[in-house]
Amino acid sequence: MSAFVIEGGRPLSGTIRPQGAKNEALQVICATLLTSEPVTIHNIPCIRDVNNLIQLLRDIGVKVSKIDYNTYTFQADNLNLDYLQSDEFVAKNAELRGSVMMIGPLLARFGKAVVTKPGGDQIGRRRLDTHFLGFQKLGARFEQVEGRNVYQITAPASRLKGTYMLLDEASVTGTANIVMAAVFAKGTTTIYNAACEPYLQQLCTMLNRMGARISGIASNLLTIEGVKELHAASHTILPDMIEVGSFIGMAAMCGDGVRIQDVSLKNLGIIPDAFRRMGIKVKEEGDDLFIPHQRHYEIQSFMDGTIMTLADAPWPGLTPDLLSVLITVATQARGSVLFHQKMFESRLFFVDKLIDMGAQIILCDPHRAVVVGHDRKIQLRGGRMSSPDIRAGIALLIAAMSAKGTSRIDNIEQIDRGYENIEGRLNALGAKIERIN
């Protein structure tokens, strides 16, 4: 187990560039299983979850060539499908939530896949019903493997069959999985209440470049006309919007003028405006964001004077992955704000660690917290804490960087799952973060 030791109170300044998007990378890497021809993907982030997925593809026989630091070519022309039944493969699936998106491509191309409960953040119940109900609508069948907590999912001998479906929730990974399963289905598949995040748009665009026929991209109504095969293509991953938001939060609390470079502004949605509602100055300069020094930032009220509420919602609403960062930033704002985390039951429990650092936070229930900002009159104090998940981990790192004294964050493997060389990049801006074992 590794830890970060952080010397707080050091101002950040300079330029930082976001990594490739983690959530998009997991989707498009799994999509390479849909063709026997080589697929080249650029701007892949070097993070634990992505590296583990790449290794999992290697394990089942995908030829993986590293072209440069962030560019790989994948060719799934000779897979060992028997390995899918092995205990080793099942165990690795259980450790990596992103592996669930291998099911759709394997089911579409080979007619079978193995299902086990995937791993990932411990942030409450994250059901997979949307994925499996979609597969069943396409004609797939589930059967438990005797004596094991594993299910085999199989397609009819005559291929999956296109159909209309209304998703019970606009699940991003669920939509991605169903889209990948449907590209080879006979006839036409219509998915209503589909997720429409930029990363899902990127997946659909890449699949079309490979020969798929997907229309309705960027809307919640997708139409997929089944084809018989896909071919080679090249794809570039967007900047990670969650990392961009994390850097805005860091610059607001600790910055003395920070430029976030090449953010793909048109794909950030309302993220910059969410920080502006907290009173933070966010300047758009070309495709960069510049966050000047914030001596004070005051939380806005609604037009009728009631307390500001920030809540997560499916795209184009506010992503739930940034609520942890926004809560941390609010601790030093002027004013109060209510955060409503609707999608996960346990994601707000990390605020106990902020309270221990001196933050004024009322945890109303597992889904709601009120933050009363210090207006920088009371500085957070350093302490020892542990990262419970990726996003809470980066939020605690921001808190520690702004705090008085030295802090230690244990279990930083959680942070490594989603942020590439985070201490090296932040130290280049003036932070003092040491990784220790």
Side-chain angles (χ1 to χ4, degrees):
M1 300 286 285
S2 298
F4 282 149
V5 175
I6 305 103
E7 182 182 307
R10 297 174 66 96
L12 308 181
S13 62
T15 299
I16 192 167
R17 184 190 299 268
Q19 68 190 28
K22 166 185 177 280
N23 291 338
E24 180 185 343
L26 296 174
Q27 293 176 28
V28 298
I29 289 172
C30 288
T32 65
L33 293 169
L34 286 164
T35 179
S36 62
E37 297 184 19
V39 179
T40 300
I41 302 177
H42 305 274
N43 202 29
I44 294 178
C46 183
I47 54 179
R48 284 174 63 95
D49 274 12
V50 170
N51 293 339
N52 287 342
L53 179 62
I54 291 173
Q55 184 57 51
L56 196 57
L57 264 61
R58 283 193 178 104
D59 291 342
I60 65 173
V62 177
K63 298 181 179 71
V64 181
S65 302
K66 188 172 184 178
I67 309 303
D68 59 40
Y69 184 70
N70 293 115
T71 301
Y72 289 77
T73 294
F74 303 85
Q75 187 166 9
D77 59 345
N78 186 22
L79 300 188
N80 177 13
L81 298 180
D82 291 337
Y83 182 71
L84 301 177
Q85 303 287 345
S86 69
D87 291 337
E88 182 180 5
F89 177 79
V90 170
K92 288 184 176 182
N93 266 268
E95 295 173 359
L96 175 64
R97 185 171 184 82
S99 65
V100 73
M101 284 180 289
M102 295 172 61
I103 299 171
L106 290 170
L107 182 64
R109 185 173 166 204
F110 302 105
K112 62 180 179 180
V114 172
V115 179
T116 187
K117 185 178 180 180
D121 289 328
Q122 301 305 309
I123 54 175
R125 186 174 62 96
R126 300 176 73 181
R127 63 189 184 88
L128 297 175
D129 301 53
T130 303
H131 303 241
F132 304 144
L133 290 171
F135 296 149
Q136 287 178 323
K137 286 274 191 180
L138 294 170
R141 292 186 291 270
F142 290 79
E143 182 180 0
Q144 185 168 6
V145 178
E146 187 175 353
R148 303 169 70 189
N149 189 25
V150 174
Y151 289 82
Q152 180 160 298
I153 175 171
T154 56
S158 57
R159 292 166 47 195
L160 297 172
K161 186 176 180 181
T163 187
Y164 169 87
M165 64 182 79
L166 172 62
L167 301 188
D168 62 334
E169 64 175 358
S171 164
V172 179
T173 55
T175 302
N177 228 346
I178 296 166
V179 166
M180 289 188 283
V183 292
F184 292 152
K186 285 184 178 181
T188 300
T189 300
T190 303
I191 307 173
Y192 194 30
N193 195 29
C196 54
E197 272 78 354
Y199 305 144
L200 199 285
Q201 298 173 35
Q202 285 278 98
L203 170 67
C204 292
T205 300
M206 172 179 150
L207 291 172
N208 280 350
R209 201 176 294 125
M210 295 167 68
R213 296 177 182 173
I214 305 171
S215 59
I217 298 172
S219 78
N220 68 348
L221 181 63
L222 294 175
T223 302
I224 304 109
E225 297 179 39
V227 298
K228 290 187 176 180
E229 61 181 5
L230 298 183
H231 50 72
S234 180
H235 178 76
T236 300
I237 292 172
L238 287 175
D240 195 310
M241 70 170 77
I242 311 305
E243 193 171 67
V244 172
S246 301
F247 293 155
I248 295 173
M250 288 179 189
M253 287 194 77
C254 316
D256 195 21
V258 175
R259 178 175 299 276
I260 311 170
Q261 198 171 49
D262 298 333
V263 300
S264 188
L265 189 60
K266 66 180 182 180
N267 289 299
L268 290 182
I270 66 171
I271 288 173
D273 285 337
F275 285 94
R276 291 185 180 112
R277 289 183 180 182
M278 307 272 287
I280 294 164
K281 297 179 181 69
V282 181
K283 298 182 178 180
E284 300 173 6
E285 299 178 358
D287 208 28
D288 298 352
L289 293 177
F290 181 71
I291 318 300
H293 174 70
Q294 317 275 327
R295 184 172 181 180
H296 297 280
Y297 47 97
E298 184 171 357
I299 297 169
Q300 298 176 3
S301 298
F302 286 118
M303 293 181 68
D304 63 358
T306 55
I307 185 172
M308 173 60 63
T309 299
L310 290 175
D312 60 335
W315 186 269
L318 180 62
T319 171
D321 285 345
L322 275 179
L323 283 193
S324 301
V325 171
L326 286 162
I327 288 171
T328 301
V329 174
T331 64
Q332 291 301 317
R334 178 184 295 162
S336 301
V337 56
L338 169 66
F339 290 94
H340 192 170
Q341 166 62 269
K342 299 177 182 178
M343 297 173 67
F344 304 108
E345 288 120 343
S346 307
R347 210 164 201 171
L348 295 185
F349 290 158
F350 88 101
V351 301
D352 286 349
K353 301 172 178 62
L354 295 178
I355 294 170
D356 290 342
M357 298 176 76
Q360 292 185 320
I361 302 175
I362 303 167
L363 185 60
C364 307
D365 55 46
H367 291 277
R368 296 177 300 159
V370 175
V371 181
V372 181
H374 287 316
D375 191 20
R376 297 197 187 275
K377 294 176 181 176
I378 302 174
Q379 190 176 5
L380 297 178
R381 55 182 177 267
R384 183 164 182 172
M385 60 207 87
S386 181
S387 172
D389 63 75
I390 300 175
R391 308 309 174 186
I394 202 70
L396 293 174
L397 181 59
I398 295 171
M401 290 166 61
S402 72
K404 181 178 180 180
T406 300
S407 298
R408 172 171 169 151
I409 302 176
D410 295 308
N411 194 30
I412 60 170
E413 287 78 9
Q414 287 286 353
I415 301 175
D416 290 338
R417 290 177 48 218
Y419 293 85
E420 178 180 325
N421 184 28
I422 191 64
E423 74 274 25
R425 291 191 289 157
L426 295 180
N427 286 343
L429 295 179
K432 189 171 182 181
I433 306 170
E434 181 185 2
R435 180 184 293 262
I436 63 172
N437 292 319

